[in-house]
Amino acid sequence: MSELVLRILHHDGTEEVRDLVRGDLTIGREADNEIRPVDPALSRHHAVIHGEATPPTIEDLKTRNGTMVNGELVNSIVTLGPGDVVELGSTTIEVAGRGDSGDTRRSQPTVELAELPPDDGIVARSPKMLELLDRADRFARSDLPILITGETGTGKELFAARIHRVSQRAKGPFVILNCPALAEGLVESELFGVEEGVATGVRARPGRLLEADGGTLFLDEVGDLGLDVQAKLLRFLQEGTVEAVGGRVPITLDVRVVAATNQDLEKTIDAGGFRRDLFFRIVGARLDIPPLRERAEDILPLVDHLLGRRNLGRFRLDDDAIAALKRHAFPGNVRELDTVLGRAAVMAESGVIRLADLALGTGMASADAVGTPSDLLESLIAGDADFWRDVHTPFMERELSRSTVRALVECGLERTGGSIKDFAALIGEKSAYRKLLDFLRNNRLLP
């Protein structure tokens, strides 16, 4: 029997504890992986843990989003031991000694949140959040489409999961479509499905709407959908039917749509980037999640919750660290706080986290806390920041907004007279020009 276990914290809130067995444990979205989190931020084959090694090791499989161990990007094979924290996409894996892993429930990752434990991860002590939770529960019991708004990292996905759990659809599937993570040409097929034979070699597959039949579809960052897909989504909301790509027979579905965005959709409508009629369809009810800086009463309860979730409950904060957290603006909100605590626990020399361990304001990848786009560009030019680590990965993990990255690219192209190849050279990515160009085109980041 292995002396180590893996405590897997899935991005949808489920927890899973597995023995670290001898042999290879592959991690990714494809069905042939031993560990298969329901996480759209993961690659099909993301990483592999080599359990036969002594000590065991982890290897990133050359993924776009990368793999982090204790806050450091894995560039080769890294050894693992008790207390190490692995971050892949929105999934966290903690390595623990047997008997130190806390809750040893074993639950298979699933999109059906009806089977999740009662704790949905929302910590609310402030009057604003308590009122918001009450409104969310009231809306959940109706069948209205709901729009959740709020800054990056405020917990929009947690609220969507809670709405599903409280609703009459709780026994149905909860399906997530992360709109920015898909290349523009794939959104329609992911949402509506594909009929076999639409193109040579293409197999039929259901879309997310069909997968969500009888349950809830969560459209994360709905403002990033293209106008053509918006039109088809509007038709589904009006008529309750969809047609797969290449299909000719409409399919009637029973799906509740919950959407989320960190954009001001009214301004996006005025700019021609979002349909006004679709906006009024998805905003049957609206929840505006306040940023963490407006609900200071939640900070310390969140600290306890986040440390406990990371199996770091043995740590405590000294008075200076607590005071600093209360003063900090947290532009990355709860996600930034979680990152700060995880890093601080690694840096702390004992069970006490001190002010210096927090290193507030030093992480380039903490949401939009990177200064202005021009500041970020200067950091890239100077070599103080890395494009793939400090721009690409935070963007794919929704910690850096589309508008910030577009503004960064615009600033760079102004310097190079509109030449993307020169822009790549400017930020030290001349050899990765083609990769950079594909990323910018696929994610609609070019001005």
Side-chain angles (χ1 to χ4, degrees):
M1 180 180 292
S2 171
E3 295 301 316
L4 296 177
V5 296
L6 303 176
R7 182 167 179 253
I8 306 165
L9 305 178
H10 295 283
H11 94 303
D12 61 4
T14 56
E15 296 184 10
E16 181 182 3
V17 178
R18 292 195 179 203
D19 295 327
L20 180 52
V21 298
R22 292 195 174 276
D24 289 346
L25 279 176
T26 55
I27 308 166
R29 290 188 289 112
E30 284 292 311
D32 58 351
N33 291 285
E34 282 76 18
I35 300 176
R36 188 190 174 199
V38 183
D39 185 347
L42 286 182
S43 298
R44 288 181 170 84
H45 297 93
H46 198 104
V48 58
I49 295 176
H50 301 291
E52 77 282 357
T54 305
T57 60
I58 187 168
E59 178 182 3
D60 181 76
L61 298 178
K62 303 186 185 304
T63 58
R64 296 177 64 186
N65 289 354
T67 301
M68 307 280 283
V69 174
N70 299 331
E72 298 292 330
L73 190 67
V74 173
N75 292 317
S76 57
I77 296 178
V78 175
T79 60
L80 295 175
D84 285 339
V85 178
V86 181
E87 295 177 272
L88 319 91
S90 301
T91 303
T92 301
I93 300 178
E94 298 173 358
V95 183
R98 181 166 298 282
D100 298 329
S101 60
D103 184 0
T104 56
R105 292 169 298 170
R106 299 176 187 271
S107 60
Q108 293 304 313
T110 175
V111 295
E112 297 187 6
L113 295 191
E115 299 180 5
L116 291 180
D119 178 16
D120 54 21
I122 299 176
V123 175
R125 301 290 185 275
S126 63
K128 282 186 177 181
M129 287 295 286
L130 291 172
E131 179 184 355
L132 190 66
L133 281 175
D134 180 66
R135 291 183 63 207
D137 290 351
R138 289 172 182 267
F139 290 154
R141 295 184 181 98
S142 73
D143 218 23
L144 291 168
I146 296 176
L147 177 65
I148 305 173
T149 64
E151 295 179 3
T152 297
T154 50
K156 295 186 287 295
E157 186 173 317
L158 294 180
F159 269 84
R162 182 186 182 96
I163 288 165
H164 175 77
R165 188 198 314 275
V166 175
S167 75
Q168 296 179 348
R169 299 172 175 270
K171 293 183 179 180
F174 178 75
V175 178
I176 299 170
L177 180 63
N178 178 18
C179 301
L182 294 172
E184 188 170 3
L186 297 178
V187 177
E188 184 177 354
S189 59
E190 283 290 329
L191 187 56
F192 302 108
V194 178
E195 286 289 335
E196 189 165 358
V198 68
T200 303
V202 173
R203 296 181 179 179
R205 68 175 184 273
R208 301 296 177 89
L209 276 166
L210 182 59
E211 291 175 349
D213 192 22
T216 304
L217 175 67
F218 176 49
L219 295 175
D220 200 5
E221 297 307 335
V222 68
D224 288 312
L225 289 177
L227 289 171
D228 55 339
V229 178
Q230 290 179 33
K232 293 188 175 182
L233 177 61
L234 175 64
R235 186 172 67 180
F236 166 72
L237 292 171
Q238 289 174 334
E239 302 174 4
T241 62
V242 297
E243 289 184 18
V245 175
R248 298 182 180 180
V249 179
I251 303 172
T252 300
L253 301 175
D254 175 27
V255 178
R256 181 197 202 155
V257 172
V258 177
T261 183
N262 62 13
Q263 300 181 31
D264 184 336
L265 285 186
E266 286 92 337
K267 288 184 178 179
T268 306
I269 290 169
D270 292 340
F274 200 82
R275 294 179 63 110
R276 188 177 301 275
D277 47 5
L278 177 58
F279 173 77
F280 286 114
R281 278 285 178 178
I282 64 175
V283 74
R286 181 167 178 167
L287 296 172
D288 300 310
I289 304 178
L292 189 54
R293 61 183 173 274
E294 294 181 6
R295 46 187 178 104
E297 302 96 325
D298 293 331
I299 291 178
L300 292 185
L302 274 167
V303 168
D304 291 339
H305 171 77
L306 294 171
L307 286 176
R309 194 180 71 175
R310 286 178 173 267
N311 199 28
L312 298 172
R314 64 189 182 278
F315 285 90
R316 67 175 183 85
L317 280 68
D318 69 12
D319 291 342
D320 289 340
I322 291 173
L325 289 181
K326 289 182 176 180
R327 292 192 306 267
H328 189 59
F330 284 108
N333 293 291
V334 180
R335 188 176 293 139
E336 180 186 355
L337 175 60
D338 189 28
T339 301
V340 166
L341 292 172
R343 180 176 62 227
V346 172
M347 299 303 297
E349 296 181 356
S350 65
V352 179
I353 294 175
R354 296 178 169 81
L355 176 60
D357 300 323
L358 296 176
L360 292 172
T362 62
M364 283 297 293
S366 61
D368 288 335
V370 294
T372 66
S374 59
D375 291 336
L376 181 52
L377 177 63
E378 294 300 332
S379 296
L380 291 169
I381 295 172
D384 296 329
D386 175 79
F387 182 85
W388 304 105
R389 181 191 67 220
D390 300 316
V391 179
H392 172 272
T393 296
F395 172 79
M396 298 303 293
E397 294 180 355
R398 295 168 289 155
E399 294 178 356
L400 200 61
S401 68
R402 181 179 300 278
S403 59
T404 297
V405 180
R406 281 182 64 95
L408 163 70
V409 175
E410 288 174 359
C411 290
L413 293 179
E414 285 178 6
R415 297 275 192 99
T416 63
S419 170
I420 299 175
K421 184 171 289 188
D422 290 344
F423 170 64
L426 181 70
I427 62 174
E429 298 295 339
K430 184 177 180 180
S431 61
Y433 161 69
R434 178 54 59 184
K435 178 182 175 183
L436 175 67
L437 179 60
D438 289 344
F439 166 66
L440 298 178
R441 283 177 173 171
N442 290 339
N443 291 284
R444 308 193 305 279
L445 293 168
L446 293 173

